[in-house]
Each structure stands twice: as C-alpha cells, then as structure tokens.
Amino acid sequence: TEKYWVWTQEERDAFDKKNNNRADELERNAQIYERYLSGETPSAISRDFNISPTRVREICARKQRQERR
C-alpha cells in the first residue's frame, strides 16, 4: 500500500520559503557572475552584495565549471 504525507500549512510555508530563497540566490549568483565577467573586482562586487570577496570567487568558479559542461 502507498502512504501519502499531508503537509501542514506551516510545513508548506517553510517549503515555499526555502524554494523562493533558492531562486533568489540563483538570480543573485547570476548577477555576480555577469559583473565578474564584465571586469569588476571581487572586492567591489562583494561590497554591493554584502558577502566576502572569497565567496564571490567561489560563486564565479562554480559558474565557470557549470559552463564547461
């Protein structure tokens, strides 16, 4: 027999919030990568997005690996 899980409203809201945050993060990372490709320094980008320059480099390195596939 199959079992089904019925979500409570709180669980559904938490799921939706997590997915919306993920979509926002993907958009932010795309913007960071575009600016990096246009020649902006990681330090300048990091100030605008309130993250470290190291994090900017990590995001850009991941995007570069994804593009190579």
Side-chain angles (χ1 to χ4, degrees), residues 23-50:
D24 292 343
E25 183 180 313
L26 291 174
E27 176 64 27
R28 179 201 73 171
N29 291 351
Q31 290 175 4
I32 288 170
Y33 188 55
E34 286 176 23
R35 289 174 61 174
Y36 181 78
L37 289 178
S38 71
E40 284 191 58
T41 65
S43 295
I45 298 168
S46 68
R47 281 191 297 272
D48 289 343
F49 287 94
N50 200 27

Side-chain angles (χ1 to χ4, degrees), residues 32 36 42-43 52-62 64:
I32 288 170
Y36 181 78
S43 295
S52 72
T54 302
R55 184 67 186 129
V56 170
R57 289 196 256 329
E58 289 170 351
I59 291 167
C60 294
R62 182 181 309 135
Q64 286 173 338

Side-chain angles (χ1 to χ4, degrees), residues 2-19:
E2 293 184 44
K3 293 183 179 182
Y4 294 94
W5 180 261
V6 178
W7 290 25
T8 65
Q9 188 60 45
E10 287 178 0
E11 291 171 326
R12 185 60 168 157
D13 291 343
F15 178 82
D16 289 342
K17 182 179 179 184
K18 180 181 175 186
N19 284 339

